[in-house]
């Protein structure tokens, strides 16, 4: 067989061989066999010296062109295999699969409790109201029966903006504002931020309160107790017990602090060797302050003697800590996503 025919056969065989090559490894075996140093092309070329000198240039040229075409065959096969693998990957993609659920935010526990509490009271007929966080001394203290020299002002460390303007220390000033803009009977529930100069493990400079207020003819302490019992059972469960302890606030008379049976130990106080951490083994936890609106407050808003009313104020973070068993107040303000996600 002459050398040119041998070269042409080599091309035909390579083409057939490539059709059976499916991996880079297959291709490499073939390349070494055809184009390698001791491969088929090299073997054919080793017979060149046996030709008559005049025939050698033509065969040399043919060999070069066969080598180029071999390389082109390899290249074409490589791209064909790449296309095939991409098509296969596309076939594995199933567009009917459900999408991965996107990350969703969740409401902050402070918001959850605020919404829940306000929901319970609006269901009972209360109207949601609000007031300014930057407040006049008059609404925050004076109209609430705390004149400038009143010792009760020491109960709260206040952040002052100026002599007469401050960051409200409680939501109680909205009692005064609500009564000034309404006529009895009225019932309002007031969520909002309040500010104090405390900052330690159990106090933050800003926290949240909810104030409640009901005024009308012959509103009594029984109404207060019934309303608060309904609220407490709505938030902490139907079995929750309520206890009133006598207390003092300048803007209510009489005043009380309300305890609920501990939601952690069910009011049993834990074991005597290991008292409940939440209620310190007493079975009760304090939840809010309340009382019958003091006549001095009614006088400040020029309400007649014929009305009576009750008011109460609670700490939202405190309720959330009890409800969700959160042991550390700082959790509410650090906004660690791992904490917040648990309320989704
Ligand atoms: N304002 C009080 C405080 O911040 C809470 C409070 C107590 C509000 C008794 C009331 C109330 O309306 O009647 O500690």
């Amino acid at each position: 067989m002459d050398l040119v025919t041998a070269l042409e056969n080599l091309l035909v065989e390579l083409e057939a061989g490539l059709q059976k090559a499916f991996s880079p490894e297959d291709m490499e075996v073939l390349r070494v066999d055809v184009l390698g140093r001791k491969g088929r092309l090299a073997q054919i070329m080793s017979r060149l010296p046996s030709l008559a000198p005049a025939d050698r240039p033509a065969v040399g040229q043919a060999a070069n062109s066969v080598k180029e075409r071999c390389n082109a065959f390899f290249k074409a096969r490589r791209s064909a295999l790449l296309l095939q693998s991409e098509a296969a990957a596309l076939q594995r993609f199933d567009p009917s699969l459900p999408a991965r659920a996107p990350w969703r935010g969740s409401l902050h526990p402070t918001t959850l409790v605020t919404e829940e509490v306000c929901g319970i009271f609006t269901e009972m007929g209360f109207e949601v109201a609000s007031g300014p966080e930057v407040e006049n001394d008059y609404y925050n203290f004076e109209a609430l029966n705390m004149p400038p020299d009143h010792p009760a002002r020491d109960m709260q460390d206040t952040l002052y903006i100026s002599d007469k303007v401050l960051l409200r220390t409680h939501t109680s000033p909205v009692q005064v504002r609500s009564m000034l803009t309404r006529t009895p009977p009225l019932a309002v529930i007031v969520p909002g931020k309040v500010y104090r100069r405390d900052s330690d493990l159990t106090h933050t400079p800003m926290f949240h309160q909810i104030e409640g207020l009901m005024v009308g003819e012959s509103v009594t302490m029984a109404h207060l107790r019934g309303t608060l019992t309904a609220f407490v059972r709505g938030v902490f469960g139907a079995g929750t017990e309520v206890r009133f302890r006598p207390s003092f606030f300048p803007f209510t008379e009489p005043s009380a602090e309300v305890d609920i049976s501990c939601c952690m130990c069910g009011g049993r106080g834990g074991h005597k060797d290991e008292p409940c951490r939440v209620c310190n083994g007493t079975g009760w936890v304090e939840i809010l302050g309340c009382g019958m609106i003091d006549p001095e407050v009614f006088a400040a808003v020029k309400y007649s003697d014929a009305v009576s009313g009750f008011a109460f104020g609670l700490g939202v973070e405190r309720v959330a800590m009890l409800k969700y068993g959160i042991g550390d107040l700082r959790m509410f303000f650090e906004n660690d996503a791992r904490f917040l996600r648990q309320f989704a």
Side-chain angles (χ1 to χ4, degrees):
M1 184 168 49
D2 72 67
L3 292 189
V4 175
T5 312
L7 285 168
E8 274 163 11
N9 284 347
L10 185 57
L11 266 181
V12 174
E13 281 166 35
L14 174 60
E15 205 174 7
L18 279 172
Q19 291 312 308
K20 289 180 218 139
F22 294 101
S23 67
E25 292 75 29
D26 293 348
M27 303 269 280
E28 181 58 13
V29 170
L30 215 50
R31 193 193 63 76
V32 171
D33 182 44
V34 176
L35 299 174
R37 214 154 44 81
K38 292 182 182 156
R40 310 254 309 269
L41 184 64
Q43 283 170 24
I44 294 170
M45 293 313 286
S46 70
R47 285 157 56 198
L48 205 60
S50 69
L51 292 184
D55 293 339
R56 289 178 198 167
V59 175
Q61 257 173 26
N64 279 336
S65 115
V66 162
K67 192 175 173 183
E68 263 170 39
R69 289 171 67 194
C70 284
N71 280 325
F73 280 172
F74 275 110
K75 202 173 158 195
R77 182 62 180 165
R78 229 171 272 128
S79 21
L81 286 180
L82 189 66
L83 274 178
Q84 267 177 28
S85 71
E86 281 171 356
L90 271 180
Q91 260 167 17
R92 282 196 301 274
F93 170 70
D94 178 353
S96 71
L97 284 174
R100 208 171 293 163
W103 267 48
R104 287 168 88 199
S106 56
L107 292 180
H108 193 281
T110 306
T111 308
L112 286 175
V113 167
T114 301
E115 288 189 351
E116 183 178 5
V117 172
C118 289
I120 291 171
F121 281 100
T122 49
E123 225 165 88
M124 289 193 274
F126 285 68
E127 168 198 352
V128 177
S130 65
E133 289 169 31
V134 176
E135 184 57 286
N136 292 316
D137 177 283
Y138 177 77
Y139 294 106
N140 196 80
F141 291 128
E142 209 161 328
L144 290 168
N145 197 27
M146 286 183 269
D149 58 344
H150 196 289
R153 286 191 173 198
D154 294 342
M155 284 163 65
Q156 294 161 350
D157 263 357
T158 307
L159 289 154
Y160 281 92
I161 306 268
S162 69
D163 218 21
K164 288 284 171 202
V165 181
L166 43 79
L167 293 179
R168 67 179 178 193
T169 59
H170 51 176
T171 42
S172 303
V174 191
Q175 286 187 31
V176 180
R177 290 178 172 277
S178 301
M179 287 192 276
L180 285 172
T181 51
R182 291 167 181 77
T183 50
L186 60 96
V188 293
I189 188 84
V190 185
K193 291 183 167 73
V194 302
Y195 300 84
R196 294 190 193 173
R197 284 185 49 199
D198 304 309
S199 186
D200 58 40
L201 280 185
T202 53
H203 298 88
T204 48
M206 185 280 288
F207 60 102
H208 298 80
Q209 284 189 336
I210 297 177
E211 192 83 10
L213 174 72
M214 177 182 274
V215 182
E217 273 173 35
S218 48
V219 174
T220 70
M221 202 132 181
H223 296 123
L224 172 59
R225 190 177 170 111
T227 306
L228 291 180
T229 303
F231 146 66
V232 155
R233 294 195 173 156
V235 173
F236 294 100
T240 312
E241 293 299 332
V242 178
R243 160 174 107 168
F244 276 49
R245 263 183 302 109
S247 184
F248 173 79
F249 299 101
F251 34 89
T252 43
E253 181 58 35
S255 304
E257 276 170 324
V258 173
D259 298 338
I260 59 168
S261 52
C262 178
C263 44
M264 206 50 141
C265 61
R268 286 179 294 275
H271 191 268
K272 71 172 172 15
D273 298 326
E274 203 183 327
C276 172
R277 281 182 302 111
V278 173
C279 64
N280 292 324
T282 63
W284 296 95
V285 286
E286 186 190 321
I287 181 131
L288 57 80
C290 65
M292 301 308 292
I293 296 170
D294 193 291
E296 291 294 334
V297 178
F298 283 142
V301 298
K302 303 198 163 54
Y303 273 16
S304 91
D305 290 347
V307 292
S308 57
F310 65 71
F312 59 89
L314 59 89
V316 176
E317 283 83 0
R318 175 156 181 80
V319 171
M321 287 174 89
L322 292 172
K323 182 176 169 88
Y324 298 118
I326 300 165
D328 188 340
L329 180 68
R330 291 169 297 182
M331 292 292 204
F332 289 90
F333 300 92
E334 282 168 356
N335 288 325
D336 187 323
R338 291 166 299 182
F339 171 70
L340 297 177
R341 211 174 285 147
Q342 297 176 83
F343 300 91

